[in-house]
């Protein structure tokens, strides 16, 4: 599944579907379980039907009535409010675990058997 | 080209990253580019008899697990496919997390796949999904360290196909 057509075309996986939604919604929109289900059914159908390696099947869903979200996507200099000078809205690259909730830090099992840290 | 109301063409994130890096004075980002025809394995059985796995790169972890960090983290998490949504967390440095934190299924569609298994549309879901932190700048580490481990996990889990969900 992909929402970044150019990147997926460059990586060139054997099979792909393309959902033209903003990054962070590769499998659908939040709490729209019916659409998430349809998107996954379409994805699995593509898995069955693609015969040519490298095919990217476009899925027929639209994020919104117009395409204005594409204007600001990954353009921090032209963000939604239009009054910001920043050129980079990514956060700093910390080497420490970045918990969503502070309480997760306390809940984390220090010996976590399902957390795998490969060597290299 | 895009107009004020936007283009029907996909956003070219490679081009936008290049523009952004230029503006920041960074050297161009080296995107993975595989020009050759990819390896292709036909499905071994129909989907309604297949066990389906899931691998997601959106920085998902479950409560009780160590969170990812943001600096070329090549670790991964094994998460039960039927983990309740209130125990799932999402953390990542490079995309808007608001909707993924509201409903992790938008980047981690385990619930969706489990529902399709319950309905008989697919044979089964694997017991576990695998997640990692995208935005690893070393494609060599992904190729040589992370990917082989994930493949080995999927082989061990005896999945027939895997749905991969990057962000």
């Amino acid at each position: 599944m992909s929402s970044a057509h150019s990147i997926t075309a460059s990586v060139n996986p054997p099979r792909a579907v393309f959902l033209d939604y903003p990054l962070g919604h590769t499998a659908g929109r939040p709490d729209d379980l019916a659409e998430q289900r349809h998107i996954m059914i379409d994805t699995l159908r593509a898995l069955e039907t693609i015969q040519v390696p490298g095919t990217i099947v476009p899925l027929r869903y639209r994020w919104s009535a117009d395409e204005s979200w594409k204007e600001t996507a990954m353009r921090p200099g032209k963000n939604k409010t239009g009054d910001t000078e920043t050129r980079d809205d990514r956060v700093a690259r910390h080497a420490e675990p970045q918990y969503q909730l502070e309480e997760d830090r306390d809940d984390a099992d220090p010996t976590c058997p399902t957390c795998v840290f490969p060597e290299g | 080209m895009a107009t004020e109301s936007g283009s029907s063409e996909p956003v070219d994130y490679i081009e936008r990253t290049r523009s952004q890096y230029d503006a920041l004075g960074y050297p161009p980002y080296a995107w993975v580019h595989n020009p050759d025809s990819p390896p292709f394995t036909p499905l071994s059985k129909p989907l309604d008899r297949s066990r389906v796995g899931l691998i997601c790169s959106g920085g998902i972890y479950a409560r009780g697990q160590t969170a990812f960090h943001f600096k070329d983290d090549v670790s991964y998490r094994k998460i039960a496919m039927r983990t309740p949504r209130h125990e799932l967390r999402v953390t990542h440095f490079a995309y808007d997390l608001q909707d993924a934190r509201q409903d992790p299924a938008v980047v981690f569609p385990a619930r969706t796949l489990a529902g399709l298994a319950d309905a008989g549309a697919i044979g089964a879901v694997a017991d576990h999904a695998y997640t990692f932190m995208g935005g690893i700048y070393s494609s060599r580490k992904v190729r040589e360290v992370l990917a082989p481990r994930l493949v080995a996990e999927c082989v061990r889990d005896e999945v027939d196909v895997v749905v991969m969900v990057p962000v």
Side-chain angles (χ1 to χ4, degrees):
Chain A
M1 304 177 86
S2 169
S3 290
H5 196 282
S6 60
I7 298 170
T8 298
S10 183
V11 171
N12 197 17
R15 304 169 174 90
V17 292
F18 172 65
L19 179 66
D20 200 1
Y21 279 9
L23 297 185
H25 310 86
T26 322
R29 27 179 132 235
D31 293 311
D32 189 341
L33 273 62
E35 191 189 75
Q36 290 172 12
R37 187 174 192 275
H38 283 297
I39 289 168
M40 186 58 74
I41 288 170
D42 289 348
T43 299
L44 294 167
R45 185 168 297 135
L47 181 58
E48 283 190 309
T49 56
I50 289 172
Q51 300 293 330
V52 177
T55 299
I56 303 174
V57 173
L59 301 183
R60 297 174 183 282
Y61 299 84
R62 280 175 68 100
W63 177 254
S64 54
D66 71 27
E67 308 265 8
S68 57
W69 66 269
K70 295 181 180 178
E71 287 295 297
T72 51
M74 207 185 276
R75 278 184 175 161
K78 292 185 184 179
N79 73 0
K80 288 160 189 152
T81 57
D83 57 10
T84 305
E85 291 301 313
T86 177
R87 304 299 302 179
D88 193 352
D89 58 0
R90 298 167 302 173
V91 299
R93 305 289 296 268
H94 302 289
E96 299 301 316
Q98 300 294 305
Y99 289 95
Q100 177 179 331
L101 303 173
E102 197 51 38
E103 66 204 52
D104 292 352
R105 189 185 308 277
D106 300 326
D107 289 343
D109 175 359
T111 61
C112 178
T114 54
C115 305
V116 184
F117 296 84
E119 294 299 313
Chain B
M1 278 307 290
T3 64
E4 276 307 304
S5 61
S7 165
S8 61
E9 294 298 309
V11 176
D12 186 344
Y13 289 105
I14 290 181
E15 186 277 325
R16 290 204 185 174
T17 306
R18 189 178 295 129
S19 304
Q20 184 185 24
Y21 276 38
D22 279 353
L24 290 167
Y26 296 168
Y29 182 78
W31 292 97
V32 172
H33 181 56
N34 294 311
D36 298 333
S37 184
F40 193 85
T41 308
L43 298 189
S44 57
K45 58 181 84 163
L47 280 172
D48 61 5
R49 287 198 279 125
S50 293
R51 179 189 301 276
V52 180
L54 179 65
I55 297 177
C56 302
S57 72
I60 302 97
Y61 67 96
R63 192 173 67 84
Q65 292 183 322
T66 307
F68 295 97
H69 64 73
F70 292 171
K71 203 168 182 180
D72 277 12
D73 188 343
V74 293
S75 69
Y76 64 93
R77 306 290 174 271
K78 182 173 178 174
I79 300 177
M81 198 74 90
R82 294 175 189 268
T83 300
R85 65 187 281 179
H86 68 268
E87 297 204 342
L88 295 171
R89 306 282 187 268
V90 187
T91 184
H92 201 290
F93 67 95
Y95 72 94
D96 183 342
L97 298 169
Q98 183 178 337
D99 287 348
R101 287 181 168 176
Q102 179 184 328
D103 180 7
V106 303
V107 292
F108 181 72
R111 179 184 70 209
T112 317
L113 283 172
L116 290 174
D118 293 343
I122 56 178
V125 284
D127 292 340
H128 297 92
Y130 298 93
T131 61
F132 62 97
M133 178 77 208
I136 301 165
Y137 277 16
S138 170
S139 58
R140 182 194 61 78
K141 284 187 180 174
V142 175
R143 195 170 54 247
E144 296 180 6
V145 179
L146 179 56
R149 295 294 295 264
L150 294 174
V151 169
E153 295 277 12
C154 291
V155 169
R156 194 176 308 132
D157 293 344
E158 299 186 320
V159 298
D160 299 298
V161 299
V162 177
V163 174
M164 303 187 73
V165 186
V167 171

